[in-house]
Amino acid sequence: MSLLEIKNVCASVGDKEILHDFSLTIGAGEIHAIMGPNGTGKSTLSYVVAGHPAYRVSAGSIMFKGKDLLAMTPDERANAGVFLAFQHPIELPGVTNALFLKTALNAKRRFNGEPDLDAVQYMKRLKARATALGVSDDMLKRPVNVGFSGGEKKKMETFQMAFLEPDLCLLDEMDSGLDVDALKIVSDAVNIMREKHRSFLIITHHERILEHIVPDVVHVMIGGKIVASGDKALAREIDKGGYEKYR
Amino acid sequence: MKSIDNIVSLSKNGRVVPVEPRADIRDISVSENEAVLLNILHVSGDVHVRVRLAGAGAKCVLNCIYLSNENNMNNIVLEVLHESKNTHSEQKIKGVATDGGQVALTGVIRIGKDAAQSVGLQHHRGILLSEKAQIAATPRLEILTDDVQCAHGSAIGALDERQVFYMMSRGIPEQTARPLLLKAFLHDIVPDDWHAVIDDWMARNV
């Protein structure tokens, strides 16, 4: 069974249809990359899968682990195993990373019919993951994304992802605004998370991130749909020749 | 239903000064090089606070939270009068209004003619939780001398839906996300032991 099956989806924001008859299937354990020029609907795709209320799906279906994803609220989707790493992570003044992740983890546990972790169990788990990913105690005590640099925000997105252990990771332009060192930190974390049951969808403008995270399938997206698919050689070809021949 | 009373705390040079809500805080005079911290949690009725920075080098930090619901009208007047040179004031005002809650806030900074080299700041942010709720903020700056720094800002709006979606995208249900964001918004400018009062109000009104 596929992990994610998007079939013939049309989606719009306001009056503007952005995804046109879009289809994509991702199997368990696969890494897919979607490349495309600006304004082609890549971020819309990630918002539609995560359930952003501003995006309306007018046709088609999205199945996740055999369940109708479109019938679920954003928090239900997350707890079922979908994680969206934001292109522009949102600041939450006054909400520390430690509190944020505790609330999220216990929400997931309740969703799965498990009891909340107590403070000691939680801190133990948080510290273990933080150490593994180089996240300091100080960062955990700071409010979510407030005063963090672009690179730090992306690092914390990756940390949230590793901590919550989703099955489908959507990385929306994770590489934008990252220097080489930050890109390596983020890529290393993704590579550590690669498992048979976990899939990734990497949305990007550039081939650069795909040198660090090697995809199984590369798709080219233009005008709200996929126009070509191939292996990692396709990413290299686009890096050299651009999108012109696909328009 | 149990209702919450207004709470006020006052300290001078780091030492707590006992205050009766309504009486003692109406006029607070701050003498030379004295520093005052005034915290207010306002849930109903009228409050009018006037802080006079009377001596040179006097300082005042004034933090005010208001919580407004259907049952209440919140009338808040905060005045800071700079009367001597090199005086500093900072007012931070935050609040929420739900149901048919109505808030009228007037924030005054007056820098008198003898108060050169003074700094007066005022920031207000109000969150409307229903279409019926109203927050009216009137900042008033009266500056009678040159060589001062004065700034004020006021923003009134709904809770940021981007924040709500971000939390939901991490698995946090909407009915948990909204109060959490509001508590975080209010907690940071008041003493820790008031947090439970705010949380209690949130649980009953949001």
Side-chain angles (χ1 to χ4, degrees), chain A residues 124-137 140 159:
Chain A
K124 204 173 155 191
R125 176 169 161 155
L126 185 69
K127 290 274 166 64
R129 301 297 163 91
T131 307
L133 286 169
V135 171
S136 67
D137 277 4
L140 296 174
F159 176 62

Side-chain angles (χ1 to χ4, degrees), chain A residues 47 50-53 74-75 78-79 83-84 86 90-95 99-100 103-104 107 144-145 157 160, chain B residues 94 125 160-177 180-185 187-188:
Chain A
Y47 280 137
H52 194 294
D75 51 310
N79 289 326
F83 185 97
L84 169 61
F86 281 53
I90 306 295
E91 297 183 3
L92 304 177
V95 181
L99 174 65
F100 182 56
T103 311
V144 177
N145 292 320
E157 289 289 287
Q160 290 177 23
Chain B
K94 287 183 175 184
R125 190 166 167 231
D160 188 340
E161 291 301 320
R162 293 173 311 161
Q163 294 179 334
V164 177
F165 175 66
Y166 188 65
M167 296 188 88
M168 291 178 78
S169 80
R170 300 303 183 245
I172 300 170
E174 189 174 2
Q175 63 269 28
T176 306
L180 192 73
L181 285 169
L182 291 170
K183 287 178 205 172
F185 165 65
H187 279 180
D188 71 333

Side-chain angles (χ1 to χ4, degrees), chain B residues 82-126:
Chain B
H82 292 254
E83 297 176 345
S84 284
K85 67 177 185 347
N86 195 25
T87 50
H88 288 238
S89 72
E90 182 171 12
Q91 302 176 54
K92 282 188 238 166
I93 309 145
K94 287 183 175 184
V96 297
T98 186
D99 298 324
Q102 289 196 22
V103 179
L105 165 72
T106 305
V108 180
I109 303 174
R110 184 175 195 274
I111 301 190
K113 61 180 175 17
D114 299 325
Q117 292 166 345
S118 290
V119 178
L121 308 171
Q122 183 191 94
H123 302 285
H124 165 241
R125 190 166 167 231

Side-chain angles (χ1 to χ4, degrees), chain B residues 16-84:
Chain B
V16 176
V17 180
V19 283
E20 294 272 337
R22 296 307 176 87
D24 292 353
I25 62 154
R26 276 191 77 95
D27 275 289
I28 296 165
S29 183
V30 189
S31 50
E32 188 172 340
N33 290 329
E34 197 173 37
V36 153
L37 170 65
L38 178 64
N39 292 306
I40 301 168
L41 176 67
H42 188 259
V43 289
S44 68
D46 296 348
V47 65
H48 187 149
V49 175
R50 183 183 297 125
V51 179
R52 290 174 46 235
L53 301 175
K59 289 190 174 67
C60 166
V61 173
L62 199 172
N63 296 317
C64 176
I65 296 279
Y66 58 81
L67 304 170
S68 181
N69 66 12
E70 195 100 80
N71 310 317
N72 298 316
M73 187 54 209
N74 300 51
N75 276 317
I76 303 166
V77 180
L78 306 174
E79 283 183 83
V80 176
L81 311 180
H82 292 254
E83 297 176 345
S84 284

